[in-house]
Amino acid sequence: MTYYLVFDIGGTSTRCALVTQRGECLALASSADPGNPLAGGTDRMVAAVAKAALTALEVGRVAADGIGGFLMAVAGGTEAALEAAHARLRGLGITGRRLDNPGGDGLAAFAAGTWRPTGYALVAGTGAVGMRVENGTPAAVSDGLGWLLGDGGSGFWIGRQAVRAAIGDLRGECRPTALTRLVLGRLDELTGRKLSLAPRPQAAGGLLAAVYEMPPANLGRFAPLVFELPDDQTAQSILAQAGRALADTLRTLVVESAPPVLVLAGGVLANHPELGAEAQGVLDEMAGEVEVSVARDGLVGAAVLALRAAGTQVGPAEFRRVQTSLARLRGPTATPSPSSGQASSRPRRAEKSAPAESEES
Amino acid sequence: MTYYLVFDIGGTSTRCALVTQRGECLALASSADPGNPLAGGTDRMVAAVAKAALTALEVGRVAADGIGGFLMAVAGGTEAALEAAHARLRGLGITGRRLDNPGGDGLAAFAAGTWRPTGYALVAGTGAVGMRVENGTPAAVSDGLGWLLGDGGSGFWIGRQAVRAAIGDLRGECRPTALTRLVLGRLDELTGRKLSLAPRPQAAGGLLAAVYEMPPANLGRFAPLVFELPDDQTAQSILAQAGRALADTLRTLVVESAPPVLVLAGGVLANHPELGAEAQGVLDEMAGEVEVSVARDGLVGAAVLALRAAGTQVGPAEFRRVQTSLARLRGPTATPSPSSGQASSRPRRAEKSAPAESEES
């Protein structure tokens, strides 16, 4: 039996699965270490990858020299960072060849939502990126520029808008919003800084100063608050703008020749697929009735890409096997589990942190 | 004779003038130390202020205990940062009372452009802020949220758009633009990283990675490139968007009761007042024919505010005296100098760096 190690490396967690050549996932390791080299630097990414790999091998009881290959799906990874991570795995005595992922986390997200080889992925998690995939390889990419330059409609982007709205409210520039109180509460959780709502101009100044003292990526932690207020006009306006930004990201990718297959992925879209409705409308208008799926776990895509890179055909049956075996490892709170008769040998799980699918992931 | 020390503390320079109670500026000290506490931290601001103050005293040959008061105009300054700077001045034996600036750099910008007590300031330099001023005090503020949260239409914002456009061009997502070559050239100047235009996807990835390795504030250094390309559609589109963002910032401030007096200020608007045309149109439409002036030196405003805080009436004559005496200290490249007959005693100047009015200041 040949085994593969596959990685889903995001802004707030690093996860690794041990998968067989048939697509059966045998072990899952997950930690809250940010692996995204743009967020935490290459050294932290390399350390998180090594830790996740060793844990998956230990949990799956597979020797380091029994691995046939490894594949990484990483948001914003440079070739240098990827090569450093692969070098560390080799340094740990993990055998096998590097299986190239030609499309980063965008391609993995697409492959996590459908076995089809051609269509579109729209990903909004900590960051946001769109991709047109043709025959299993990326044909065009849109946005994915990271928090400083782009990521319109991402968790970072939504969180930043929430903070802006709170400052605008406190200054009396914008309409009052229930976000303000929630934003100050989250700031307290993140930084221990308690700001009183009154006097309001001082609260605005204090919030502004506190945000600049945090790591910028923390702005994404304010995003979930916006989804808590279905009756708040400001919160709903932020979500509408986010949906529009995501639709813009998809729009530049659409061509007539590709079938209207759309995968929505990333923590924000997986938890709130309604945010992709406007993007779906764009595709519907330009290319006809859309087949939409929601990809809740980028590791499924990483496994699918690894199998394909290693020469295994992945059709609906293999896709479903990857999906259900991983869902079983994730546990009862995740996507619907398969009937127990399909259980494979030795499914094991080593979750070391918050749920794998948090709103911020 | 009573003397005052007044400071204009921006994202890329810290400047100090020694001014008499009549409004005559006797000495100017300028350094390239960023004094903006959001950009460089409180410690750097305090050090830059102390250095500028000592230089101004030395050049003006006034003893530390001869100062009646000091006033600071600072972009994004918290009360804590301001108090730290004032404490350092007292620690250096500089006497005099703290003269409060009730409106930060926005109010100083307004007072740098007109002696009138009521109207609007629109500032775009490294950052961007709008302010409605009534009877010499700020009545409403818009934007000024810094590079991470806002500053629409600022130098930072324009520079970021330039980099985005270059990446989009290199990826083949956006139309080709002459900005791309200029952006790669500026990147080389800033970081020593030479990126070849081909292969283009690698250049896009290299540019993206390099931007995340720079201090974010460096994005503002790409802004001047956009103004170099009057025939480039992408560059002109960025400037049009910047003008629109600045108009939006002004729009939320306009009330019928205030006269349509508009001061355009900050390095970007002072060098390119045409970027304020759309904002001027907003005011014109809402409040009637606009009296526009361009404030090229925030120190004029800091001096005006100091004189007023110390009890001196500042009308057209006093305003002109501050303006012309400072212009003389800045030297022949600055705003039109007064006739030589108006020369005061001991005008001296200690410029230690780049011109005080750079595009990025």
Side-chain angles (χ1 to χ4, degrees), chain A residues 115-134:
Chain A
W115 60 270
R116 292 187 194 279
T118 299
Y120 303 89
L122 187 58
V123 186
T126 303
V129 65
M131 183 179 280
R132 188 176 78 245
V133 179
E134 294 180 2

Side-chain angles (χ1 to χ4, degrees), chain A residues 38 78 129 141-151 156 160-161 163-164 167 171 173 205 207-209 211-212 214 216 219 252, chain B residues 38 78 129 141-151 156 160-161 163-164 167 171 173 205 207-209 211-212 214 216 219 252:
Chain A
L38 292 186
T78 61
V129 65
V141 172
S142 174
D143 203 344
L145 297 179
W147 62 270
L148 183 57
L149 295 176
D151 284 357
F156 177 87
R160 178 167 58 189
Q161 296 301 97
V163 171
R164 284 172 55 107
I167 293 173
R171 280 179 173 182
E173 272 183 77
L207 174 56
L208 186 61
V211 165
Y212 279 89
M214 297 189 315
L219 278 174
T252 64
Chain B
L38 293 185
T78 61
V129 66
V141 172
S142 173
D143 203 346
L145 298 178
W147 62 271
L148 183 57
L149 294 177
D151 283 357
F156 177 87
R160 178 167 57 189
Q161 295 300 95
V163 171
R164 283 173 54 110
I167 293 173
R171 280 178 171 183
E173 272 182 76
L207 175 55
L208 186 60
V211 165
Y212 279 89
M214 296 188 315
L219 278 173
T252 64

Side-chain angles (χ1 to χ4, degrees), chain B residues 35 42 119 126 213 227 263 298 328 347 354-355:
Chain B
T42 298
T126 303
E213 285 165 18
F227 293 95
V263 175
R328 197 165 41 236

Side-chain angles (χ1 to χ4, degrees), chain A residues 73-110:
Chain A
V74 51
T78 61
E79 175 52 32
L82 280 171
E83 188 42 46
H86 283 99
R88 172 70 66 88
L89 294 183
R90 284 190 294 269
L92 293 169
I94 301 175
T95 57
R97 63 197 172 97
R98 171 175 171 177
L99 299 167
D100 271 320
N101 169 3
D105 62 333
L107 185 61
F110 181 74

Side-chain angles (χ1 to χ4, degrees), chain A residues 11 117 126 134 189 212 282 319 339:
Chain A
T126 303
E134 294 180 2
E189 287 165 35
Y212 279 89
V282 165
F319 181 76
S339 68

Side-chain angles (χ1 to χ4, degrees), chain A residues 4-10 13-19 26-35 44-62 67 70-72 85 88-89 92 94 299 348-353:
Chain A
Y4 302 99
L5 284 176
V6 299
F7 298 84
D8 179 33
I9 303 170
S13 71
T14 297
R15 301 166 69 234
C16 173
L18 178 72
V19 56
L26 301 183
L28 173 64
S30 175
S31 81
D33 303 315
R44 284 183 75 179
M45 169 193 169
V46 169
V49 162
K51 185 170 138 192
L54 291 174
T55 306
L57 288 174
E58 190 189 330
V59 172
R61 290 183 202 147
V62 167
I67 298 301
F70 21 80
L71 183 136
M72 295 181 193
R88 172 70 66 88
L89 294 183
L92 293 169
I94 301 175
L299 264 180
R348 281 155 184 276
R349 181 190 188 209
E351 300 261 2
K352 297 203 158 175
S353 69

Side-chain angles (χ1 to χ4, degrees), chain B residues 11-12 32 34 125-126 154-160 162-163 179 182-183 185-187 189-191 214-228 268 354 358-361:
Chain B
T12 52
T126 303
S154 67
F156 177 87
W157 188 98
I158 291 169
R160 178 167 57 189
V163 171
L179 274 173
L182 298 186
V183 164
R186 179 58 52 99
L187 181 76
E189 288 165 33
L190 288 172
T191 68
M214 296 188 315
N218 268 6
L219 278 173
R221 307 287 297 275
F222 294 89
L225 308 175
V226 184
F227 293 95
E228 289 177 19
V268 170
S358 76
E359 219 145 68
E360 297 91 347
S361 77

